Amino acid sequence: MKIIHIVTSFDLGGSERVAINIASSKHPSFQYELIEVVRGKGMFSEYVKKELHDKKIKYYCSPITNRKLGIIFFPFWFLLIFLKSKPHVIHTHTEIPDLSWCWFIRLFGWLLPSVKWVRTIHNTELWNDWKFIGKIVEPVFQKHQANVAISKSTQYCYQKNYGLCPPIIYNGISESKQKSFPYIVKDKINVLFAGRLEPQKGIEQLIDIVNFLRDDKRYIFHIIGNGSLQSILKRQTSQLNNVRFYDKVHGLSAYMSSFDYLLMPSNFEGLALTSIEASFAKIPTIINACMGLDETLPSDWPLKVTNNSVKQFVHLFRDVLPNVDRNKLGEKAYHFVSENFRIDTMQQEYERVYASK
């Protein structure tokens, strides 16, 4: 069977990583190709394309760099690829690919033989900027019974907003060979925050946490990411000596073991892949117990707070972390993700979906 995954861009997003992980399957009965709707730019896009090349996964780059134009013109340049490739399954990831595929079918579906649809729901909140479009697109995917959720969180939110309850296939992660992060501060407890600098990720709480701990000489915080709150975050922490900033780090999962802890004060998550990557590196994660994040760790995990309480976070840093066995917690987290988030399990479950009638 030939499966084409449609992603927004060849970049470092979580949905793109899931598509690549599925397409990395070595099952001889399945052949995978990837296509982007909007042309990725910069060195991170080059890293992704190199990875696809090294894994011998065929890929197609979009000729268009603008998102809206990418969606509008997607059917016209994808048509020849589709007719030449003759896929058995189209698998879409997130709203831009979802809409692009529906637009393609609207224009050219009458020319094509039947093809199976699979659509992974990566987010708890869909169609934020395009609610009207979402009301048109969702019934189409429901009609084809295409939906798969990545977590209880996305399943619950989809059912709440769109009425149907999709099955769950948890995202799988492969273990990364670890190497040293060059900017670790010796004789400090190095805490990592990595993610988009957006309200979803708890940036307001992150600012408060590092400010409350400004005089605690034990900790240094490494903040990796960019986003709409980047300037606010830097402005409100500019006078602090306990913070280091990095825009992006390619292959971050390979550096996880260099850190002592991962901090995730997220307000909501689809499924927190960064937490899973940290656990595979045996690094404990300090979390807000929101849906989509608490699923990535054991139910009795001690390093969590409720309602994103900064007071509780500060208590963990000041009173709990100095007394915990970090290695024991790392082993506990590793055992949990090894049972629940292995990449081969995810691949097998999706391939059963592809092969089903």
Side-chain angles (χ1 to χ4, degrees):
M1 297 185 70
K2 184 175 288 187
I3 295 92
I4 292 182
H5 287 263
I6 306 177
V7 300
T8 300
S9 294
F10 294 143
D11 210 334
L12 296 181
S15 59
E16 287 81 5
R17 171 49 48 197
V18 172
I20 294 171
N21 284 350
I22 298 170
S24 300
S25 170
K26 301 301 183 184
H27 196 298
S29 297
F30 298 90
Q31 180 183 346
Y32 292 93
E33 298 177 357
L34 264 70
I35 186 168
E36 62 180 357
V37 177
V38 184
R39 190 176 189 88
K41 296 180 290 184
M43 65 176 180
F44 292 100
S45 179
E46 296 305 315
Y47 284 135
V48 171
K49 288 185 281 189
K50 182 180 184 304
E51 179 181 356
L52 293 171
H53 176 269
D54 292 345
K55 291 182 175 180
K56 295 181 172 56
I57 301 172
K58 191 172 184 178
Y59 64 90
Y60 304 92
C61 297
S62 170
I64 300 171
T65 58
N66 178 275
R67 287 195 168 198
K68 291 182 179 178
L69 291 178
I71 295 170
I72 291 171
F73 289 103
F74 176 80
F76 304 101
W77 65 270
F78 180 53
L79 178 61
L80 293 178
I81 294 173
F82 188 98
L83 293 174
K84 181 179 178 181
S85 181
K86 298 179 181 177
H88 301 90
V89 179
I90 293 291
H91 189 155
T92 63
H93 298 265
T94 73
E95 291 93 325
I96 287 177
D98 298 339
L99 177 56
S100 300
W101 171 245
C102 285
W103 175 225
F104 176 83
I105 288 296
R106 182 69 178 267
L107 292 176
F108 300 118
W110 58 279
L111 288 173
L112 310 174
S114 61
V115 60
K116 186 177 180 67
W117 298 25
V118 178
R119 181 268 197 119
T120 296
I121 303 169
H122 292 271
N123 302 315
T124 55
E125 297 184 13
L126 300 177
W127 308 106
N128 287 332
D129 299 323
W130 300 336
K131 291 295 185 185
F132 175 74
I133 294 175
K135 291 180 180 179
I136 298 172
V137 171
E138 288 305 328
V140 180
F141 280 99
Q142 290 181 357
K143 178 182 177 181
H144 284 80
Q145 299 180 326
N147 291 323
V148 175
I150 63 169
S151 64
K152 294 177 182 176
S153 172
T154 53
Q155 182 192 58
Y156 169 80
C157 292
Y158 189 87
Q159 184 176 19
K160 179 181 177 182
N161 290 301
Y162 299 103
L164 294 184
C165 184
I168 296 174
I169 297 178
Y170 281 110
N171 291 339
I173 299 293
S174 58
E175 295 186 47
S176 298
K177 184 179 180 180
Q178 295 295 300
K179 52 189 176 182
S180 297
F181 188 68
Y183 306 110
I184 291 296
V185 181
K186 294 182 178 180
D187 302 321
K188 296 280 189 180
I189 298 173
N190 289 261
V191 181
L192 170 66
F193 172 93
R196 290 177 290 109
L197 303 182
E198 304 291 347
Q200 171 191 345
K201 300 297 183 179
I203 304 306
E204 178 182 345
Q205 289 76 18
L206 176 63
I207 293 170
D208 288 341
I209 291 167
V210 297
N211 270 286
F212 269 109
L213 297 171
R214 64 193 304 163
D215 297 321
D216 193 325
K217 304 301 183 183
R218 295 171 294 184
Y219 298 101
I220 188 79
F221 293 87
H222 302 264
I223 298 176
I224 299 175
N226 55 35
S228 64
L229 299 180
Q230 185 173 33
S231 60
I232 294 174
L233 172 62
K234 289 188 174 182
R235 184 170 64 249
Q236 296 192 19
T237 59
S238 61
Q239 303 302 313
L240 303 183
N241 295 319
N242 62 342
V243 180
R244 303 286 186 273
F245 290 101
Y246 316 85
D247 188 32
K248 281 185 178 181
V249 175
H250 176 67
L252 178 60
S253 60
Y255 296 107
M256 285 289 185
S257 64
S258 297
F259 299 92
D260 297 294
Y261 295 97
L262 173 68
L263 172 61
M264 295 194 70
S266 301
N267 290 302
F268 60 90
E269 291 280 354
L271 186 71
L273 296 183
T274 308
S275 170
I276 299 171
E277 290 170 344
S279 294
F280 271 121
K282 300 184 180 180
I283 299 304
T285 303
I286 306 160
I287 68 166
N288 174 45
C290 66
M291 292 180 66
L293 182 50
D294 62 355
E295 292 176 66
T296 65
L297 291 159
S299 59
D300 60 347
W301 189 246
L303 305 184
K304 63 183 177 182
V305 310
T306 56
N307 300 317
N308 227 351
S309 167
V310 173
K311 182 178 179 180
Q312 292 179 36
F313 273 121
V314 173
H315 167 67
L316 285 178
F317 279 100
R318 287 179 175 169
D319 305 318
V320 177
L321 296 189
N323 301 307
V324 301
D325 186 333
R326 191 175 67 87
N327 292 329
K328 185 176 180 179
L329 280 181
E331 291 290 344
K332 181 184 180 76
Y334 178 81
H335 180 72
F336 181 80
V337 294
S338 295
E339 286 189 343
N340 294 282
F341 301 104
R342 299 208 69 88
I343 189 170
D344 54 346
T345 301
M346 175 188 68
Q347 292 167 343
Q348 291 163 13
E349 292 191 25
Y350 272 113
E351 285 169 349
R352 278 195 287 269
V353 173
Y354 298 150
S356 65
K357 297 298 183 180

